[in-house]
Amino acid sequence: MSVNFMIHCFRLKGFNIVLDVHTGGVHIVDDITYEMLENISLPLDDDCKKEVIEKLKCKYTTDELEECFDEIVELYNDGILFSEDDYEKFADYAVASPVKAMCVHIAHDCNLRCKYCFASTGDFGEGRKLMDLDTGKAAIDFLLEKSGDRKNLELDFFGGEPLMNFDVVKEIVKYARSKEKEFGKTFRFTITTNGLLLSDDKIDFINKEMSNVVLSIDGRKEVNDRMRVRVDGSGSYDSIIDKYKALVSKRDKSKDYYVRGTYTKYNLDFSNDVIHLYECGFDQVSVEPVMGNEKESYAITEDDMDKIYEEYDILVDKLSEIKEKGGFCNFFHFMLDLNQGPCAIKRLRGCGSGNEYVAVTPDGDIYPCHQFVGIEKFKMGNLHEKTFNMDIKNMFAKTHIYAKDDCKVCWAKFYCSGGCNANNYIYEGDILKAHKLSCKIQRKRLECAILMNIKKELEKQL
Amino acid sequence: MKHIKTINKANLKNTAAKGGCGNCQASCQSACKTSCTVANQKCEKDA
């Protein structure tokens, strides 16, 4: 099929689903139309009609087939099926943007030794250290200076474990808030924590100041405690679960939170972990595949794909069952708004790493994102030295989907937007080369997400 | 239509011309940190 138009047809849970890639149009079709779409190619002229009817008339009547063909042509004429790819021209607008989001590595140290940690158990291979307040203030000043006309500035306190340096977190928040009015900006803070050091005071501060909080936990106790262990090897589940419950119960509903887990080869039945977290009282859940060297025993490999696909299907059933019983559980990777998602320009540009989003280390070093930290060739500059390499920034600005050969011909391109540049580099050796394993999982999740949203839309119409 | 039901507005193309304001959340700032999903972000134009 030409890349100038693209549809993606898939069957899931009794639905025949057709996605028109370039308009985002989602259609459900009957069996006959599904088969016709599988056997059709443009142009939709008399020859095409004749050919496809000839091919399928052993199974269906000519009248039915003609009816279907005419409906397909109608959607084509309406521009919502086999629509043209006319986005590449917008890719030229992918230039260096203001920096509006920052991952602040407030602590390159951690009180856990999670076995799958991409940060080398917290220090990113750079030695254990905490960020001082001067560096934190310099990070705020950098963001204020580089954010141009962007009003909303995002700052994620990340680690290591941010609660190991919480006094500095509080001071940075105070400093940033003191600048909001003067600069006409709004800071949105997020903190990602393993929960061990949560106390009532910290919970209150987080719930007051952080627009989002990410609470790390892998699900069932035995699953969590296999990977998320302390220095002495003991598990962390019992020390955090009640703290997370307390934080969430006290949190204003208008603010975001996620309990966020990682699944590995050891728990490919991860739908049980999602449900466990739901049953613990959490309704905002993210459980994601581990990223790691294939040689590690916990690593997900090609051989696990069938089981993973099956597990997402099971998760769809379990989440649907919760809904039918009047419950609610939002699974992060099934979140999708088929009518009002982000604009096409955002989807073209991708995650924004190295361009509108950067990470800073305790030493003030600047990297394209948290996952690039410690990779010398991607170091963009330093806050104290007031250096910022625009060549690297411009390079990342160009990492849009039309710069990625695998992505521009992929039906999922407007949903994942070219994937994770860091995973591309770490596992495929090139920021422009899609990480195949991630893509496979992403596509499956998207099919499930589209199905869940179809169900939602159909319910609305009842 | 008898054979096809269209579920959504299919309006992605319309968003290209007036898009790109940059006010929406950076996609990795929510809960990912190890993957990338842009389509689950909210549009915050004029927000």
Side-chain angles (χ1 to χ4, degrees):
Chain A
M1 185 184 283
S2 159
V3 291
N4 286 327
F5 58 88
M6 204 187 299
I7 61 169
H8 176 59
C9 305
F10 62 102
R11 295 182 200 262
L12 196 53
K13 308 281 179 196
F15 286 89
N16 299 325
I17 301 165
V18 179
L19 169 71
D20 181 58
V21 172
H22 300 121
T23 58
V26 174
H27 314 280
I28 46 176
V29 304
D30 58 11
D31 287 337
I32 171 170
T33 311
Y34 193 87
E35 271 191 70
M36 187 172 273
L37 285 167
E38 283 186 318
N39 285 284
I40 217 169
S41 58
L42 295 189
L44 301 175
D45 54 15
D46 288 345
D47 287 346
C48 171
K49 186 175 183 174
K50 213 182 287 174
E51 204 178 299
V52 76
I53 288 175
E54 191 59 36
K55 207 167 180 180
L56 298 177
K57 72 179 184 190
C58 55
K59 286 180 77 177
Y60 305 102
T61 69
T62 306
D63 281 354
E64 280 176 319
L65 288 164
E66 282 189 350
E67 233 173 44
C68 281
F69 190 86
D70 290 346
E71 287 191 16
I72 289 170
V73 170
E74 194 179 330
L75 291 190
Y76 173 74
N77 288 336
D78 287 346
I80 53 174
L81 192 67
F82 295 114
S83 64
E84 210 183 325
D85 183 352
D86 46 14
Y87 292 99
E88 197 154 359
K89 59 180 182 279
F90 295 107
D92 293 336
Y93 301 147
V95 292
S97 306
V99 181
K100 62 158 188 172
M102 182 182 272
C103 184
V104 175
H105 290 225
I106 196 76
H108 271 192
D109 196 359
C110 192
N111 43 5
L112 285 184
R113 294 292 181 268
C114 302
K115 293 173 185 170
Y116 47 53
C117 183
F118 68 80
S120 307
T121 68
D123 74 351
F124 289 80
E126 295 190 327
R128 299 193 178 275
K129 56 186 91 164
L130 304 178
M131 180 178 281
D132 62 24
L133 183 56
D134 282 348
T135 305
K137 285 181 175 177
I140 298 296
D141 293 342
F142 176 90
L143 206 46
L144 290 168
E145 182 199 326
K146 302 287 185 195
S147 55
D149 61 356
R150 298 290 190 263
K151 188 177 181 303
N152 300 323
L153 305 184
E154 299 152 33
L155 200 140
D156 182 17
F157 293 105
F158 199 62
E161 172 47 41
L163 298 191
M164 292 177 80
N165 197 14
F166 202 64
D167 287 343
V168 176
V169 168
K170 288 200 283 192
E171 287 302 314
I172 292 173
V173 169
K174 193 174 158 192
Y175 181 73
R177 293 276 183 240
S178 77
K179 299 282 180 182
E180 282 182 320
K181 206 170 170 189
E182 180 188 346
F183 286 84
K185 308 280 186 184
T186 305
F187 277 93
R188 291 175 179 173
F189 296 105
T190 296
I191 193 163
T192 300
T193 179
N194 66 28
L196 279 183
L197 296 176
L198 275 174
S199 60
D200 288 344
D201 285 356
K202 288 187 180 108
I203 286 173
D204 289 346
F205 184 86
I206 287 168
N207 280 344
K208 179 170 179 274
E209 294 290 355
M210 307 286 163
S211 60
N212 187 18
V213 54
V214 180
L215 307 167
S216 300
I217 181 169
D218 285 350
R220 292 163 289 177
K221 177 177 158 65
E222 65 275 20
V223 170
N224 183 83
D225 287 355
R226 183 167 189 167
M227 300 303 279
R228 302 186 63 78
V229 295
R230 292 186 179 79
V231 181
D232 66 6
S234 61
S236 55
Y237 182 95
D238 289 337
S239 304
I240 58 173
I241 188 74
D242 290 339
K243 290 175 180 175
Y244 287 173
K245 286 178 184 174
L247 185 149
V248 171
S249 72
K250 289 166 85 176
R251 190 161 176 80
D252 190 309
K253 297 277 179 233
S254 67
K255 292 183 173 179
D256 293 329
Y257 83 91
Y258 290 96
V259 285
R260 189 236 187 259
T262 298
Y263 70 82
T264 71
K265 196 188 273 289
Y266 301 141
N267 63 316
L268 294 177
D269 62 341
F270 57 86
S271 72
N272 291 316
D273 295 292
V274 175
I275 299 307
H276 173 80
L277 292 168
Y278 169 71
E279 286 172 347
C280 285
F282 305 113
D283 60 2
Q284 304 292 327
V285 181
S286 180
V287 175
E288 299 195 31
V290 70
M291 287 295 140
N293 189 317
E294 277 210 4
K295 287 175 186 157
E296 299 287 353
S297 57
Y298 59 74
I300 286 166
T301 63
E302 195 64 44
D303 294 343
D304 301 319
M305 283 301 121
D306 286 345
K307 173 60 190 148
I308 287 172
Y309 295 160
E310 191 192 329
E311 198 59 24
Y312 280 115
D313 286 342
I314 292 170
L315 184 56
V316 166
D317 289 338
K318 289 180 176 174
L319 294 176
S320 300
E321 199 185 317
I322 287 171
K323 201 164 176 228
E324 278 159 23
K325 287 180 180 165
F328 173 74
C329 180
N330 179 40
F331 181 65
F332 180 75
H333 278 110
F334 287 173
M335 281 165 71
L336 199 60
D337 184 341
L338 292 179
N339 288 309
Q340 281 183 315
C343 65
I345 304 301
K346 163 90 171 178
R347 295 174 192 240
L348 276 167
R349 286 181 182 168
C351 77
S353 67
N355 185 22
E356 59 177 17
Y357 170 61
V358 296
V360 298
T361 71
D363 290 328
D365 291 334
I366 306 168
Y367 287 92
C369 84
H370 54 288
Q371 292 221 58
F372 283 105
V373 167
I375 305 175
E376 190 59 27
K377 71 183 257 196
F378 288 109
K379 187 173 154 184
M380 300 178 79
N382 181 277
L383 294 172
H384 301 297
E385 292 162 10
K386 300 202 180 302
T387 51
F388 190 50
N389 185 325
M390 288 302 288
D391 290 340
I392 297 180
K393 190 173 191 300
N394 287 330
M395 179 177 78
F396 274 87
K398 297 274 181 204
T399 57
H400 53 74
I401 54 182
Y402 288 92
K404 298 176 178 177
D405 290 339
D406 300 320
C407 301
K408 61 184 171 189
V409 294
C410 175
W411 66 263
K413 61 186 172 183
F414 289 115
Y415 299 87
C416 79
S417 301
C420 169
N421 287 333
N423 284 342
N424 293 351
Y425 177 75
I426 295 164
Y427 301 110
E428 302 286 347
D430 186 342
I431 56 174
L432 297 178
K433 205 169 170 193
H435 178 225
K436 301 284 185 303
L437 219 57
S438 297
C439 293
K440 286 182 177 179
I441 296 173
Q442 179 71 283
R443 283 192 289 260
K444 179 61 191 176
R445 288 191 304 222
L446 282 169
E447 287 185 348
C448 293
I450 290 169
L451 172 71
M452 296 289 279
N453 280 275
I454 286 173
K455 286 183 170 185
K456 205 191 293 174
E457 292 296 326
L458 291 176
E459 275 166 26
K460 272 191 221 163
Q461 291 170 19
L462 282 178
Chain B
M1 282 192 175
K2 196 172 150 191
H3 301 275
I4 306 175
K5 185 175 180 60
T6 299
I7 297 294
N8 62 349
K9 294 179 196 157
N11 57 359
L12 187 59
K13 287 199 176 194
N14 303 337
T15 68
K18 291 179 181 172
C21 75
N23 275 326
C24 53
Q25 189 179 39
S27 45
C28 218
Q29 289 289 70
S30 40
C32 294
K33 293 289 185 191
T34 59
S35 65
C36 178
T37 310
V38 169
N40 64 6
Q41 306 294 316
K42 289 177 203 151
C43 174
E44 297 194 52
K45 192 170 170 67
D46 300 321

